[in-house]
């Protein structure tokens, strides 16, 4: 007990000692802070004083400079309008009025006067002209001298200077001589001004002849002097005006001195010197432009009491008393943060592991699903190539369609995973934008015909024909948006429009969930209640109606030679931003669902998936792809009216035709046999007629649009003066909903009987319909029935069939299967896959195009067959195989090639004139795993590319056209 007592007492002693030490430390710190803050306060006060002084000195000089400039301007005025002017344009009255009215420009001058330079031999004539005799400063007759400076003009405030010779005063004479030799304003010694009794100086400025050069010498300036301008300068008022606030502070004293004579400084402003009484002093030199006189400004300040240097240390003392507690709390917090950091590191490690696991899971799921799907779709494709009954063929096609839908879903999920991982990369290849748009529209032509809805695409003339970008991702966005539009539209139309972003004004009118969403806007309609849209149904975004749409057509309808964007190539910018809008008149998007439109796997409501199908991931992917292309996506939707989705994309201009590169061209060039033909279109809807005209213009056909059949008959009959068109028009296009059988049949018969029934002059009549069922309805009346959606290639095919126009033969590379056959026919290709079904599918796909295929089931077998020399032109290698995977097999193949190339190079080095060609076998990975990591591993292992399972004709075409074309026999 006694030990514990002494131990506790000892601890309390240590605590008291620590408290005393802590108290002394707090007092010391507070005292140090007091002196430090006091020093800082004094330094800031001194710095503030310096800044004030320099600023006021600059302002003082600027104000003086402004006054001197006005006096200089007055000197130029006298030199211009008085010197050698008979009679002079300036007299005493004019000078007095002018200087009086402009005195506000010289507020610091009591007045100005002009003294003319007069030599002694000119005195008599001068006094005779002026009518008065010159006087001295003392009002006495001016004595004879070499020259005089009598005041002839003066401001009313200094009229007492009239007739006085300014050369009669010694100091004034010196100023005049200095002013004319220096060409600057000079000042006198300070003196008391009359009237105000303020200290001031006389400002003297020489007036020269107008022809005095800028770089004149002293002699030239003296010889060119014609007179002198002078004025009384009130220095005290100038300083008072600028420094009144500062001078009013009792702790700050301002003085202005004339220190021309340093030993006897003269006070121009302020009280007598108090340098000993005020601690802070700062001196600024003043430059009034006179090099012979010096002035300075002195500021003296008594610094204020530094209250912060008193209050802050007191507060610090209290803080020190709490610092012990703060230290304890800080250490406690430090321990907690350290524990949190440790947990965060663990969570980070788990998240990274989860990301790796996710990638591995996606790879595994992709591979495990794609591998059997490759066999399913491959076998179905082979089955469809056999003789089947109609029922069997329908079953096989249905199964194939379902399999492709599953592959599409897998691709969407993988695309979303790539985007989230930031590993989705875009290609940059030239492609024909208009052909791509036609291809996308053709994908949904059957569905639109089943629903009897208008499906159309329009590309503005100033959009470049060929652009550089990723056509497959661009097509993916369009396919998603157009597919949704067709899916949710049961009547009306789906309209795709492409124009430049600056024309569409997407940036300025962007409406993410626009102001029109769900609201009724004013939309112009025709007299019969139909709207000025593609189909006559109201649209959600009124920017696509005729009033807006016709602005995109202004001044371009007659520019046939500049079509397809050829004129846009003159633009200096290599980048072009496109605005693509997809408008439909479907069910629209409910207001409560518009906020989650772009959320992955989200649909408008539960009935959407049940009624229309889909996963809700397409719009999310489209939004991400649009942003990757440097654009954005937005929409305007009104329930039960429709939706308009608009996205932008930044691409590059291409100044060469995409079809010129046969290895990359996937589109067929349009024929030129119809260029110069003329046709008449009967359609009362301006937007739809502009779309039809766009497709015909792409073929070089000149189109005239009329509202009804009667107007078309008049055009052919020449009743409206269109004789040229009547003579050369070969075709008449009629929209089916503007065909009136009760009246138009007679007009059509009359047209066919025109010119005595000569068949060569009778135009071919084409009716445009939206449904396959309408073909039977109109087939017996018209020469041909053309079912929409319209595409330039299908129009060309119909017109060629109708007019029997000879078409140039198509090159093989313009037809993808034929071109692919030309690349693969006779080629020896090795296929490596451990799955026998996949081997059969790959072999059948390659043999379809004439290739000679050899199959092996392991990487080791492939290496044994590819030992140099070998006879294979390419190798399709599966990635995941037992024993040795495709990556390792490819690495071994590249090592063998490197060794063989080195040996051949050494052998050929000793043979003169020999040429060494490096041996390189194109190796393409066949993988069901299409995530970015797998692609990177393929390239890293030495593969040249990959095709994903199941691969189709387009994939095979792209891979083979890049690698196999031009490859010679690789045998060594």
């Amino acid at each position: 007990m006694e030990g514990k007592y002494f131990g506790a007492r000892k601890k309390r002693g240590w605590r008291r000692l620590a408290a005393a030490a802590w108290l002394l430390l707090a007092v010391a710190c507070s005292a140090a802070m007091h002196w430090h803050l006091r020093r800082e306060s004094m330094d800031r006060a001194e710095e503030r004083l310096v800044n004030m002084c320099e600023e006021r000195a600059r302002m003082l000089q600027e104000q003086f400079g402004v006054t001197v400039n006005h006096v200089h301007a007055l000197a130029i005025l006298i030199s211009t309008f008085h010197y050698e002017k008979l009679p002079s344009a300036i007299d005493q009255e004019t000078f007095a009025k002018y200087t009086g009215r402009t005195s506000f420009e010289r507020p610091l001058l009591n007045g100005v006067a002009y003294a003319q330079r007069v030599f002694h031999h000119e005195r008599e004539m001068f006094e005779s002209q002026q009518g008065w005799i010159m006087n001295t400063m003392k009002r006495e007759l001016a004595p004879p001298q070499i020259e005089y400076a009598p005041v002839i003009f003066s401001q009313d405030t200094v009229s007492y200077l009239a007739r006085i010779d300014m050369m009669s005063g010694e100091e004034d004479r010196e100023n005049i001589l200095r002013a004319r030799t220096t060409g600057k304003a000079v000042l006198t010694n300070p003196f008391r001004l009359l009237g105000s009794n303020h200290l001031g100086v006389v400002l003297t400025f020489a007036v020269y002849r107008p022809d005095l050069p800028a770089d004149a010498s002293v002699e030239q300036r003296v010889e060119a002097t014609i007179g002198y301008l002078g004025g009384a300068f009130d220095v005290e008022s100038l300083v008072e005006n600028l420094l009144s606030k500062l001078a009013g502070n009792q702790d700050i004293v301002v003085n202005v001195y004339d220190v021309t004579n340093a030993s006897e400084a003269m006070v121009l402003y302020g009280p007598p010197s108090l340098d000993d009484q005020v601690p802070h002093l700062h001196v600024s030199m003043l430059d009034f432009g006179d090099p012979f006189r010096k002035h300075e400004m002195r500021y003296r300040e008594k610094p204020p009491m530094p209250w912060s240097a008193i209050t802050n240390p007191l507060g610090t003392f209290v803080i020190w008393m709490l610092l012990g507690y703060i230290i304890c709390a800080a250490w406690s917090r430090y321990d907690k943060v350290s524990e949190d950091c440790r947990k965060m590191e663990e969570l980070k490690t788990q998240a990274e592991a989860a990301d790796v696991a996710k990638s591995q899971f996606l790879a595994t799921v992709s591979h495990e699903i794609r591998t059997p799907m490759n066999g399913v779709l491959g076998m179905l494709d082979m089955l469809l190539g056999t003789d089947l009954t109609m029922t069997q063929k329908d079953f096989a096609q249905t199964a194939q369609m379902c399999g492709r839908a599953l592959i599409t879903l897998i691709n969407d999920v993988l695309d979303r995973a790539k985007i989230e991982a930031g590993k989705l990369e875009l290609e940059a290849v030239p492609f024909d934008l208009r052909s791509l748009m036609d291809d996308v529209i053709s994908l949904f032509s059957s569905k639109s015909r089943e629903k009897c809805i208008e499906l159309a695409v329009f590309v503005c003339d100033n959009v470049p024909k060929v652009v550089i970008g990723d056509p497959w991702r661009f097509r993916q966005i369009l396919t998603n948006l157009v597919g949704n539009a067709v899916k949710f539209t049961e009547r009306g139309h789906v309209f795709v429009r492409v124009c430049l972003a600056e024309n569409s004004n997407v940036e300025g009118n962007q409406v993410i969930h626009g102001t029109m969403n769900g609201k009724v806007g004013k939309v112009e309609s025709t007299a019969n209640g139909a709207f000025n849209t593609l189909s006559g149904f109201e649209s959600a975004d009124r920017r696509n109606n005729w009033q807006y749409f016709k602005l995109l057509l202004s001044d371009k309808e007659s520019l046939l030679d500049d079509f397809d964007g050829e004129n846009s190539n003159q633009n200096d910018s290599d980048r072009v931003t496109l605005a693509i809008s997809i408008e439909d008149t479907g069910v629209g998007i409910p207001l409560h669902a518009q906020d989650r439109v772009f959320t992955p796997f989200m649909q408008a409501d539960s009935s959407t998936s049940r009624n229309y199908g889909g996963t809700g991931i397409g719009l999310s992917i489209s939004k991400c792809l649009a942003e990757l292309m440097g654009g954005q996506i937005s929409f305007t939707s009104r329930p039960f009216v429709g939706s308009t989705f608009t996205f932008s994309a930044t691409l590059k201009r291409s100044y060469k035709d995409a079809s010129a590169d046969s290895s990359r061209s996937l589109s067929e060039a349009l024929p030129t046999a119809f260029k110069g033909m003329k046709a008449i279109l009967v359609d009362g809807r301006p937007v739809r007629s502009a779309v039809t005209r766009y497709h015909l213009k792409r073929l070089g056909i000149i189109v005239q649009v009329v509202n009804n059949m009667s107007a078309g008959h008049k055009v052919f009959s020449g009743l409206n003066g269109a004789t040229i068109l009547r003579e050369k028009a070969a075709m008449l296009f009629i929209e089916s909903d503007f065909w009136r059988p009760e009246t138009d049949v007679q007009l059509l018969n009359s047209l066919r009987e025109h010119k005595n029934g000569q068949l060569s002059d009778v135009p071919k009549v084409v009716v445009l319909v939206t449904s396959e069922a309408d073909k039977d309805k109109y087939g017996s009346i018209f020469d041909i029935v053309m079912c929409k959606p319209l595409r330039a290639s299908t129009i060309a095919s119909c017109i060629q069939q109708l007019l029997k126009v000879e078409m140039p033969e198509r090159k093989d590379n313009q037809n993808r299967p034929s071109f692919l056959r030309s690349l693969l026919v006779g080629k020896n290709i090795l296929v490596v896959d451990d799955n026998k079904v996949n081997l059969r599918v790959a072999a059948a796909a390659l043999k379809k195009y004439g290739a000679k295929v050899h199959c092996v089931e392991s990487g080791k077998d492939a290496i044994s067959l590819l030992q140099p020399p070998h006879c294979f032109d390419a190798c399709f290698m599966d990635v995941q195989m037992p024993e040795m995977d495709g990556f390792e097999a490819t690495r071994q193949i590249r090592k063998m090639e490197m060794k063989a190339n080195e040996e051949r190079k050494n052998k050929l080095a000793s043979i003169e004139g020999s040429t060494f060609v490096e041996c390189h076998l194109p190796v393409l990975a066949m993988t069901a795993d299409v995530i970015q990591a797998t692609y990177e591993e393929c390239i890293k292992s030495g593969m040249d590319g990959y095709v994903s399972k199941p691969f189709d004709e387009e994939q095979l075409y792209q891979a083979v056209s890049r690698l196999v074309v031009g490859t010679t026999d690789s045998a060594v």
Side-chain angles (χ1 to χ4, degrees):
M1 290 293 295
E2 187 177 355
K4 291 183 178 180
Y5 172 76
F6 282 108
R9 186 174 181 181
K10 187 176 181 180
K11 184 179 291 186
R12 287 194 297 270
W14 279 110
R15 288 177 180 176
R16 292 190 184 98
L17 183 61
W22 193 262
L23 180 61
L24 290 176
L25 182 61
V27 171
C29 290
S30 300
M33 177 178 290
H34 170 75
W35 291 111
H36 175 71
L37 292 177
R38 181 178 178 84
R39 181 69 262 173
E40 280 189 346
S41 177
M42 296 181 67
D43 291 343
R44 285 196 298 269
E46 185 175 356
E47 182 181 358
R48 185 171 62 252
L49 179 65
V50 171
N51 293 336
M52 278 192 211
C53 188
E54 294 298 331
E55 181 181 1
R56 296 312 190 276
R58 178 182 56 80
M59 294 171 61
L60 192 63
Q61 291 178 172
E62 288 179 353
Q63 185 67 33
F64 181 83
V66 170
T67 302
V68 171
N69 289 339
H70 286 299
V71 174
H72 191 183
L74 189 59
I76 295 173
L77 184 69
I78 294 174
S79 174
T80 305
F81 295 99
H82 174 69
Y83 176 68
E84 291 185 347
K85 297 294 189 296
L86 295 175
S88 172
I90 302 175
D91 55 16
Q92 168 58 33
E93 182 181 359
T94 303
F95 185 86
K97 288 182 178 179
Y98 176 77
T99 54
R101 291 179 179 178
T102 59
S103 61
F104 66 91
E105 297 179 341
R106 304 175 300 280
L108 305 177
L109 290 180
N110 290 348
V112 291
Y114 171 66
Q116 183 172 322
R117 183 184 186 185
V118 179
F119 291 96
H120 180 68
H121 66 274
E122 299 173 340
R123 175 175 179 173
E124 183 177 353
M125 183 177 62
F126 172 80
E127 291 178 340
S128 175
Q129 290 176 348
Q130 296 295 329
W132 43 262
I133 298 174
M134 290 184 285
N135 297 324
T136 64
M137 291 288 185
K138 297 180 180 180
R139 300 294 177 175
E140 298 174 353
L141 179 64
Q145 53 188 17
I146 296 176
E147 62 178 277
Y148 310 89
V151 176
I152 63 172
F153 302 142
S154 62
Q155 191 174 342
D156 290 341
T157 56
V158 291
S159 59
Y160 56 86
L161 296 176
R163 306 180 185 181
I164 294 178
D165 177 16
M166 304 306 296
M167 298 283 280
S168 61
E170 186 64 28
E171 187 173 359
D172 291 331
R173 180 182 181 86
E174 291 178 2
N175 284 349
I176 288 174
L177 296 179
R178 283 195 295 120
R180 73 185 188 184
T181 56
T182 60
K184 297 181 179 179
V186 298
L187 305 174
T188 64
N189 286 325
F191 64 93
R192 292 290 174 179
L193 299 176
L194 296 177
S196 64
N197 199 33
H198 289 171
L199 280 175
V201 294
V202 173
L203 173 72
T204 306
F205 198 89
V207 181
Y208 300 101
R209 291 198 303 265
D211 57 352
L212 179 67
D215 56 349
S217 63
V218 175
E219 291 78 7
Q220 288 176 322
R221 283 196 291 269
V222 172
E223 191 276 332
T225 303
I226 63 173
Y228 315 95
L229 271 173
F233 187 75
D234 191 343
V235 177
E236 195 167 339
S237 296
L238 171 63
V239 178
E240 188 70 30
N241 289 337
L242 293 177
L243 308 177
S244 58
K245 292 184 179 180
L246 187 60
N249 192 329
Q250 296 179 356
D251 293 331
I252 299 177
V253 180
V254 181
N255 288 87
V256 178
Y257 291 87
D258 184 331
V259 292
T260 304
N261 186 354
S263 60
E264 297 181 4
M266 300 181 63
V267 179
L268 295 180
Y269 175 82
S273 177
L274 300 173
D275 295 352
D276 298 335
Q277 302 178 17
V278 183
H280 287 170
L281 172 66
H282 180 73
V283 179
S284 293
M285 298 303 298
L286 297 176
D287 183 7
F288 288 147
D290 188 346
F292 298 97
R293 306 203 68 84
K294 297 180 181 179
H295 301 82
E296 68 181 22
M297 178 183 292
R298 299 177 186 176
Y299 275 68
R300 292 176 295 276
E301 179 187 23
K302 182 178 180 181
M305 177 65 70
W307 290 108
S308 60
I310 299 174
T311 57
N312 288 350
L314 293 177
T316 303
F317 180 79
V318 177
I319 293 174
W320 273 96
M321 295 297 98
L322 300 174
L323 190 58
Y325 172 78
I326 295 174
I327 292 175
C328 294
W331 275 108
S332 176
R333 179 65 178 170
Y334 173 77
D335 292 339
K336 186 177 184 301
V337 170
S338 298
E339 180 66 17
D340 291 342
C341 289
R342 186 187 63 80
K343 291 181 179 179
M344 288 177 63
E345 288 294 333
E346 292 180 356
L347 292 175
K348 179 184 176 183
T349 303
Q350 294 175 5
E352 291 174 348
D355 186 61
V356 173
K358 174 185 175 182
S359 299
Q360 294 175 347
F361 172 76
L362 289 173
T364 303
V365 170
S366 172
H367 184 271
E368 295 302 325
I369 296 178
R370 283 176 175 273
T371 298
M373 284 305 302
N374 180 46
V376 171
L377 293 180
M379 290 302 177
L380 286 173
D381 190 56
M382 295 170 61
L383 179 62
L384 289 171
T386 62
D387 293 332
L388 300 174
T389 64
M390 292 299 295
T391 302
Q392 293 170 337
K393 186 175 183 180
D394 179 61
F395 291 164
Q397 288 176 340
T398 302
Q400 189 181 50
M401 181 180 64
C402 294
R404 288 176 177 171
L406 179 58
I407 291 298
T408 301
L409 176 59
I410 296 173
N411 290 338
D412 287 344
V413 174
L414 292 176
D415 283 344
R416 184 68 199 180
K418 290 180 186 177
I419 292 171
E420 290 178 352
K423 294 184 178 181
L424 184 65
E425 297 180 358
L426 300 179
E427 289 198 19
V429 297
F431 64 95
D432 188 328
L433 180 64
R434 289 167 174 80
S435 296
L436 184 144
M437 301 300 296
D438 283 354
D439 291 344
V440 172
I441 291 299
S442 67
L443 297 176
F444 306 97
S445 57
S446 299
K447 197 69 175 177
S448 67
R449 290 168 185 169
E450 289 177 8
K451 294 186 172 186
C452 296
I453 61 175
E454 294 274 3
L455 176 60
V457 62
F458 178 85
V459 183
C460 293
D461 292 353
N462 57 359
V463 174
K465 178 180 180 182
V466 181
V467 292
I468 298 177
D470 193 329
W472 295 276
R473 295 301 182 184
F474 193 85
R475 183 200 301 264
Q476 185 177 358
I477 299 176
L478 283 170
T479 302
N480 283 335
L481 297 179
V482 176
N484 284 343
V486 173
K487 181 197 304 183
F488 293 105
T489 302
E490 300 298 333
R491 85 286 185 274
H493 66 267
V494 174
F495 184 27
V496 183
R497 191 195 72 229
V498 184
C499 63
L500 297 182
E502 53 263 31
N503 297 102
S504 178
N505 199 16
V506 171
E507 313 298 338
N509 297 305
Q510 197 87 42
V511 184
I512 300 302
H513 301 299
T515 56
M516 288 186 63
N517 287 356
K519 299 181 181 180
V520 178
K522 181 181 179 182
V523 183
E524 297 187 12
S525 60
T526 58
N528 58 4
F531 294 87
N532 273 330
T533 58
L534 181 72
S535 63
F537 283 84
E538 182 181 3
S539 62
D541 189 348
R542 61 172 174 268
R543 290 180 300 174
N544 277 5
N545 64 17
W546 176 242
Q547 296 301 319
Y548 175 81
F549 187 74
K550 67 182 179 181
L551 299 178
L552 303 178
L553 308 175
S554 60
D555 301 328
K556 293 187 175 71
E557 291 295 343
S558 61
L559 301 180
L560 181 62
D561 295 334
D562 293 336
F563 186 67
D564 279 349
E566 294 176 13
N567 56 340
S568 66
N569 290 345
Q570 305 302 321
N571 197 313
D572 294 335
S573 176
D574 288 335
R575 291 189 174 275
V576 57
T577 301
L578 303 179
I580 303 94
S581 67
I582 298 88
E583 173 187 89
D584 67 69
T585 56
V587 297
I589 303 174
L591 296 179
H592 68 274
Q594 292 183 4
D595 291 336
R596 60 174 187 265
V597 163
F598 296 110
T599 304
F601 304 104
M602 294 294 292
Q603 301 237 358
D605 52 45
S606 58
S607 63
T608 301
S609 179
R610 183 169 61 252
N611 296 333
Y612 298 99
T615 61
I617 196 175
L619 287 179
S620 173
I621 294 175
S622 299
K623 181 177 184 295
C624 296
L625 291 177
E627 292 171 352
L628 285 175
M629 293 182 182
Q632 52 187 327
I633 189 169
S634 63
F635 72 94
T636 299
S637 183
R638 294 163 59 191
F640 309 109
V641 174
S643 303
T644 300
F645 281 80
T646 302
F647 74 94
S648 57
T650 300
L651 307 173
K652 289 185 177 179
R653 297 177 185 270
S654 177
Y655 299 104
K656 65 177 183 178
D657 195 339
S659 62
D661 187 359
S662 60
S663 65
R664 301 305 300 264
S665 177
L666 304 179
S667 61
E668 179 181 343
L670 295 177
T672 58
F674 309 110
K675 190 171 184 179
M677 290 186 178
K678 298 186 178 181
I680 293 177
L681 172 63
V682 179
D683 190 356
R685 291 183 185 150
V687 175
R688 185 174 61 184
S689 62
V691 172
T692 306
R693 189 171 187 172
Y694 151 74
H695 289 291
L696 293 173
K697 283 176 62 178
R698 290 179 62 191
L699 299 174
I701 300 174
I702 302 173
V703 184
Q704 180 173 344
V705 181
V706 295
N707 291 331
N708 50 58
M709 187 62 189
S710 177
H713 184 270
K714 291 180 181 179
V715 172
F716 275 102
S717 302
L719 298 180
N720 62 344
T723 56
I724 298 178
L725 184 60
R726 175 175 57 84
E727 293 173 0
K728 297 184 178 180
M731 293 166 287
L732 174 63
F733 291 86
I734 304 175
E735 282 288 349
S736 60
D737 52 355
F738 279 85
W739 169 254
R740 303 292 182 265
E742 60 275 7
T743 57
D744 294 348
V745 170
Q746 297 179 357
L747 295 174
L748 183 60
N749 293 335
S750 174
L751 190 62
R752 287 172 172 169
E753 296 171 358
H754 187 63
K755 283 198 173 182
N756 299 321
Q758 296 182 12
L759 294 178
S760 60
D761 292 332
V762 176
K764 300 298 183 181
V765 183
V766 181
V767 66
L768 304 176
V769 299
T770 58
S771 173
E772 292 283 354
D774 293 334
K775 285 188 174 183
D776 296 335
K777 178 180 178 181
Y778 297 105
S780 59
I781 304 175
F782 302 98
D783 296 306
I784 193 169
V785 179
M786 191 179 299
C787 198
K788 292 185 282 188
L790 298 180
R791 291 191 300 151
S793 57
T794 56
I795 295 175
S797 177
C798 291
I799 296 177
Q800 189 272 336
Q801 176 185 352
L802 187 64
L803 301 180
K804 310 299 182 187
V805 178
E806 294 185 3
M807 304 285 287
E809 292 186 4
R810 206 168 46 178
K811 297 180 181 179
D812 286 342
N813 63 350
Q814 291 178 330
N815 182 272
R816 192 181 310 168
S818 300
F819 183 47
L820 193 55
R821 172 175 287 277
S822 69
L823 294 177
L824 292 175
V825 65
K827 300 290 184 180
N828 294 310
I829 296 180
L830 178 64
V831 179
V832 186
D833 199 320
D834 62 314
N835 188 298
K836 293 183 179 181
V837 176
N838 289 341
L839 277 178
R840 291 180 60 187
V841 172
L846 293 171
K847 288 179 181 179
K848 178 181 177 182
Y849 299 102
K852 299 177 181 178
V853 182
H854 188 83
C855 299
V856 294
E857 298 182 6
S858 69
K860 291 183 178 180
D861 293 341
I863 291 176
S864 63
L865 288 176
L866 295 177
Q867 291 282 348
H870 60 78
C871 61
F872 291 102
D873 299 294
C875 175
F876 285 75
M877 179 81 69
D878 186 28
V879 172
Q880 297 185 8
M881 294 184 293
E883 297 184 7
M884 179 182 292
D885 60 21
F887 300 134
E888 180 61 29
T890 304
R891 282 191 283 267
Q892 296 295 332
I893 294 170
R894 295 305 180 213
K895 289 180 181 179
M896 292 189 302
E897 288 179 346
M898 187 181 301
K899 183 177 180 181
N901 287 332
E902 192 68 28
E903 293 176 355
R904 289 185 67 249
K905 187 176 182 180
N906 294 334
K907 289 180 181 179
L908 295 175
S910 60
I911 303 175
E912 295 183 0
S914 61
T915 302
F916 172 72
V917 179
E918 188 176 88
C919 174
H920 180 82
L921 177 70
V923 178
L924 293 172
M926 292 191 306
T927 175
D929 176 12
V930 292
I931 65 174
Q932 183 70 17
T934 303
Y935 173 73
E936 292 172 354
E937 184 65 24
C938 291
I939 301 302
K940 184 178 179 181
S941 64
M943 295 180 175
D944 299 284
Y946 78 97
V947 290
S948 60
K949 299 177 182 178
F951 57 83
D952 53 19
E953 180 182 290
E954 183 170 328
Q955 283 193 76
L956 192 62
Y957 174 85
Q958 295 169 14
V960 172
S961 63
R962 282 197 299 264
L963 301 176
V964 179
V965 61
T967 303
T968 59
D969 194 347
S970 59
V972 292

